[in-house]
Amino acid sequence: MRRFKINLLYLILLLPIWGVMLLQLVVRVKAIKENYAEYSILFTLIMLALIFMFYFIPYKCRARRRLSFNYILITLWSAMCLLMLYSDIVVSKKYCYLSLTLLILFTGLFAVLQQYGSKERGKLFEIFLLAIETGFIGASLVCFLFRPYTSGIRYSGLSANPNVYGIFLITVWACLLTKLDYCIGRSKDIKKCIIIGAELGTATMFLYLTAARTSFLTIAFISIVWFIFRAVYTRRKNNPLLKYILSTAAAVAASFAVSYLLLATVPNLINKPIVFERDRLFTAEYSTPGVCYASSQDDTANTPDASASDKDTADRDVIKDIEKDVEQAVKDVADEPSPISRLLSVFGEGATLDIILNGRISIYKEYLKHIDFKGHEKYGRKVNGTYVVNAHNNALQIAYSYGLGASIAYILLCIFTLIYSLHYYIRYHDKRKTAAFPMLIVISFIISSLTECILLPMQSLLAFCFFVCLGELMITYAPGRKA
């Protein structure tokens, strides 16, 4: 009975994590600048709920421990947060007191988590991954039912921007790759790998339609890194890695095709598209404002007073429409603005590095000119007469918004977090189900933040996961901690 209660409490922890993901969804489809204060308050309340739930889990799940963190990571974390706080005080910010969110809420979360032993924290991370996986499944169902794609237009999913949805898919991929790593490492039933492969196939399909190059390259890189590590460890244990990989790859391919056809037909059949106010048309080369989704389907088949013959005709029309949608989807799939085609297009004649990076070099140069030690009020500024919302680089954004000192601390924090995350996987790859997650998240966060700004944890799931994994590494590598 006691064990049942403990497991029930662990499952209740899904609620605040889902709450964070739901808030991030709202932020993605609405403008954050008009409602930043409200979002910050909601995020604070959810984080406090998460901290209190961790604290009030039955005492025997925890142990009295002296507060202790890894010296290097906690020093760099504190330095970054305090320097950001100094900038918040001396220069009023548009997105004010992010420093306090990091310093108080996340450090408080770290302090509570360090009371748990290694086994219990592993269980908490399993719940965390379950929340991400179920959140992705829910988001996919909504997309399949109510968010159709338009041929030739980059797909935005449950977001107003395909790049932002691509960042979300990175986190999902890291979660599923972690589960796959455990199944292969423990030689689990191959059916589990096939199920994970089906989920990876759906994520791949969405990634393909977003045509998000940063997300594509990030996912490709972490997959290669993971495969190298896993190949080394399975070779030592003589595990049949190839069998698992081929089965998973087959499931990915099948799921990709099925998911693509579902997205091409079901939303048009239902004919109740969800349209966000900030939806825009994103092509492979240029973005033009407008509403992304519209349906030309007639709704008469759903009218209650239609005659039987009319209904039969309508049913036949629906079947014909589905067949037409499928044929058109198969025909258009090669013409979609996929990440691969967008990557290949940069090697066209006359392509410069600035063109390849969509003007980011010009943005970087402009931001570099205005870096100081105090920071600035806004995240964005005008570049060549056009207002850009952020620096499209985390380190540069922190340097511009919070001062050079905070950026140096952030860069050093990322470097040491990466080192510890790699060692974490090497140390625990055969001991913990979620051993690969910190490594995959940290690498993903660092690569993505080279061309995107993903600082706000109430806006980005990847940023939120990075900070959570940072806390795990702080605790694991604290002085006196046992493996």
Side-chain angles (χ1 to χ4, degrees):
M1 186 66 180
R2 175 181 170 275
R3 189 170 185 177
F4 170 78
K5 290 181 179 179
I6 292 175
N7 289 332
L8 181 62
L9 284 169
Y10 277 132
L11 289 176
I12 292 175
L13 292 174
L14 287 170
L15 297 177
I17 301 173
W18 280 336
V20 170
M21 296 176 68
L22 183 61
L23 175 61
Q24 290 167 347
L25 169 62
V26 174
V27 174
R28 287 201 302 268
V29 301
K30 292 182 176 288
I32 189 172
K33 59 183 179 180
E34 287 87 1
N35 303 290
Y36 177 76
E38 290 85 347
Y39 294 149
S40 296
I41 292 171
L42 283 173
F43 183 76
T44 299
L45 293 175
I46 294 171
M47 285 294 292
L48 288 175
L50 188 62
I51 291 170
F52 280 118
M53 290 176 74
F54 280 148
Y55 186 78
F56 287 110
I57 281 179
Y59 175 74
K60 288 189 178 181
C61 291
R62 299 182 285 118
R64 290 185 178 275
R65 300 178 187 274
R66 181 174 60 87
L67 196 62
S68 178
F69 298 110
N70 177 270
Y71 295 142
I72 296 176
L73 294 180
I74 193 63
T75 299
L76 292 172
W77 169 259
S78 301
M80 182 189 75
C81 293
L82 291 173
L83 287 168
M84 290 174 66
L85 179 59
Y86 164 77
S87 178
D88 275 328
I89 293 172
V90 298
V91 179
S92 176
K93 295 286 191 298
K94 186 73 174 179
Y95 300 143
C96 57
Y97 295 107
L98 171 63
S99 56
L100 290 181
T101 299
L102 300 179
L103 185 61
I104 296 177
L105 294 180
F106 279 96
T107 307
L109 181 63
F110 303 160
V112 172
L113 285 177
Q114 67 88 36
Q115 297 183 67
Y116 289 81
S118 173
K119 182 178 179 181
E120 288 74 25
R121 290 200 316 279
K123 180 67 175 178
L124 295 177
F125 261 83
E126 290 177 41
I127 297 298
F128 190 41
L129 265 63
L130 178 61
I132 296 173
E133 184 181 12
T134 52
F136 168 66
I137 292 172
S140 299
L141 288 175
V142 174
C143 289
F144 285 136
L145 295 174
F146 307 113
R147 290 285 281 178
Y149 81 93
T150 302
S151 180
I153 302 299
R154 296 173 60 193
Y155 188 68
S156 296
L158 287 188
S159 174
N161 187 309
N163 292 329
V164 173
Y165 201 65
I167 297 295
F168 167 73
L169 293 174
I170 293 174
T171 313
V172 173
W173 190 275
C175 168
L176 296 175
L177 208 57
T178 299
K179 293 171 69 69
L180 181 63
D181 177 75
Y182 172 74
C183 289
I184 295 175
R186 297 294 181 90
S187 299
K188 294 292 184 178
D189 188 346
I190 205 164
K191 293 179 182 178
K192 294 184 178 180
C193 291
I194 293 174
I195 293 173
I196 296 171
E199 295 177 89
L200 286 171
T202 301
T204 305
M205 185 276 300
F206 284 123
L207 178 66
Y208 178 85
L209 293 182
T210 63
R213 291 180 296 185
T214 296
S215 300
F216 176 79
L217 291 173
T218 301
I219 285 175
F221 187 81
I222 63 172
S223 299
I224 292 171
V225 171
W226 168 79
F227 180 79
I228 292 172
F229 273 106
R230 179 43 60 193
V232 171
Y233 292 132
T234 51
R235 186 176 180 182
R236 290 178 182 177
K237 294 184 177 181
N238 296 319
N239 282 2
L241 176 63
L242 185 61
K243 179 182 71 173
Y244 285 102
I245 295 298
L246 290 178
S247 300
T248 304
V252 169
S255 177
F256 182 102
V258 172
S259 299
Y260 183 78
L261 293 176
L262 286 174
L263 193 65
T265 57
V266 175
N268 291 330
L269 180 63
I270 294 176
N271 195 25
K272 300 291 182 181
I274 295 175
V275 180
F276 302 129
E277 291 182 7
R278 295 176 62 245
D279 273 340
R280 297 173 60 195
L281 298 177
F282 288 83
T283 63
E285 302 298 331
Y286 185 68
S287 302
T288 55
V291 177
C292 280
Y293 307 109
S295 177
S296 60
Q297 292 241 161
D298 189 3
D299 202 32
T300 56
N302 297 321
T303 54
D305 56 346
S307 66
S309 59
D310 290 338
K311 288 181 179 179
D312 291 338
T313 302
D315 289 340
R316 287 195 295 272
D317 290 341
V318 167
I319 294 173
K320 289 180 180 179
D321 286 338
I322 293 174
E323 292 175 349
K324 184 179 179 181
D325 286 337
V326 172
E327 291 174 0
Q328 189 65 37
V330 173
K331 180 181 178 181
D332 291 341
V333 66
D335 299 325
E336 295 300 330
S338 69
I340 298 175
S341 63
R342 293 189 72 220
L343 283 170
L344 294 176
S345 68
V346 304
F347 298 106
E349 185 178 352
T352 64
L353 183 60
D354 199 31
I355 293 174
I356 291 172
L357 295 176
N358 287 347
R360 281 175 171 81
I361 299 299
S362 299
I363 295 172
Y364 299 158
K365 290 179 179 178
E366 181 65 24
Y367 271 81
L368 283 169
K369 293 176 184 177
H370 298 87
I371 289 177
D372 56 26
F373 286 93
K374 290 185 178 180
H376 296 79
E377 176 188 358
K378 297 180 179 180
Y379 270 38
R381 64 174 301 106
K382 277 193 173 183
V383 179
N384 296 332
T386 302
Y387 186 80
V388 294
V389 294
N390 57 59
H392 291 280
N393 179 284
N394 270 9
L396 192 55
Q397 188 68 64
I398 292 175
Y400 175 79
S401 298
Y402 298 100
L404 184 59
S407 182
I408 293 173
Y410 164 79
I411 293 171
L412 291 174
L413 179 66
C414 286
I415 292 172
F416 281 98
T417 303
L418 175 61
I419 294 171
Y420 281 116
S421 68
L422 292 171
H423 186 268
Y424 185 92
Y425 181 66
I426 294 171
R427 182 179 180 181
Y428 295 112
H429 70 274
D430 58 348
K431 298 178 182 178
R432 297 185 182 177
K433 290 183 178 181
T434 58
F437 191 67
M439 177 185 71
L440 298 175
I441 286 294
V442 171
I443 295 175
S444 299
F445 179 81
I446 292 174
I447 294 177
S448 301
S449 65
L450 295 177
T451 58
E452 301 291 344
C453 183
I454 44 177
L455 279 175
L456 303 176
M458 73 280 292
Q459 184 181 40
S460 170
L461 181 60
L462 182 57
F464 183 83
C465 291
F466 173 79
F467 295 131
V468 172
C469 290
L470 172 63
E472 168 64 14
L473 297 173
M474 280 187 192
I475 297 166
T476 301
Y477 290 96
R481 278 275 179 179
K482 295 181 180 180

